[in-house]
Amino acid sequence: YSMQNMAEFELEGEVDLICSCCDSINYLLEEEDVLSTFKQVNQYLAKDGLFIFDMNTPYKYHTLLADNTFAENREEGSFIWENYFDEEEQINEYDLTLFVENEQGSFTRFQEVHYQKCYEIETIKKLIKQSGLELVGVYDAYTKEALREDSEKVMFITREFGK
């Protein structure tokens, strides 16, 4: 596991597999950063090595998240998740408030703000090609079947391709 800036990460030699999960690529707000990340991945992949990553789909941003608020009260804590989707910039702002039970039995409040970019599938395919990676497949991430119009998350499988 590595925790680094995705657009500038470094590894000690080549690897057979790089995996990016939890829609991490959506946190890259500029196409140039996505392309840089893909180029870095290709640089560190061994011959025919795989890069697998998932992303939230335009359907999820436009239809499910949109400007909606979600809240849940669970045994271990509660959350309020507010979304603000900017159609022009294609940026989703997540305002997340968590209430987590502490050792004294009361709840501690935590607040986070996240920003994610909504990318069209064709844009990501173009960036994969520009980076030198080869696209192996695109799937609905939850079913591993063909991508549907209402897929919420997409999984890309790419391969190192003749650096």
Side-chain angles (χ1 to χ4, degrees), residues 73-78 99-110:
N73 186 19
R74 298 180 180 175
E75 189 173 311
E76 67 277 4
S78 302
F99 300 91
V100 180
E101 190 170 9
N102 58 38
E103 292 176 1
Q104 292 76 31
S106 60
F107 289 82
T108 304
R109 177 180 172 173
F110 298 93

Side-chain angles (χ1 to χ4, degrees), residues 78-135:
S78 302
F79 69 84
I80 302 169
W81 172 12
E82 299 173 279
N83 294 278
Y84 307 98
F85 187 68
D86 183 325
E87 288 283 346
E88 185 176 320
E89 296 294 324
Q90 296 293 292
I91 301 287
N92 194 75
E93 177 183 329
Y94 298 89
D95 289 344
L96 186 60
T97 304
L98 304 166
F99 300 91
V100 180
E101 190 170 9
N102 58 38
E103 292 176 1
Q104 292 76 31
S106 60
F107 289 82
T108 304
R109 177 180 172 173
F110 298 93
Q111 288 186 282
E112 299 178 358
V113 178
H114 297 251
Y115 297 93
Q116 287 191 345
K117 175 85 171 183
C118 173
Y119 288 100
E120 295 295 328
I121 305 302
E122 292 306 314
T123 300
I124 297 301
K125 288 180 178 180
K126 176 189 78 170
L127 295 171
I128 288 168
K129 185 174 184 175
Q130 286 177 1
S131 73
L133 291 165
E134 176 184 34
L135 181 62

Side-chain angles (χ1 to χ4, degrees), residues 8 28 31 37 63 108 112 115 118-119 124 136 144 150:
E8 301 173 351
L28 298 171
E31 279 187 33
T37 298
T63 307
T108 304
E112 299 178 358
Y115 297 93
C118 173
Y119 288 100
I124 297 301
V136 175
K144 298 179 185 72
D150 65 345

Side-chain angles (χ1 to χ4, degrees), residues 20-25 52-56 141 153-155:
S20 175
C21 56
C22 301
D23 44 84
S24 297
I25 300 295
I52 300 171
F53 64 97
D54 66 9
M55 296 183 74
N56 288 328
K153 192 173 286 262
V154 59
M155 179 175 292

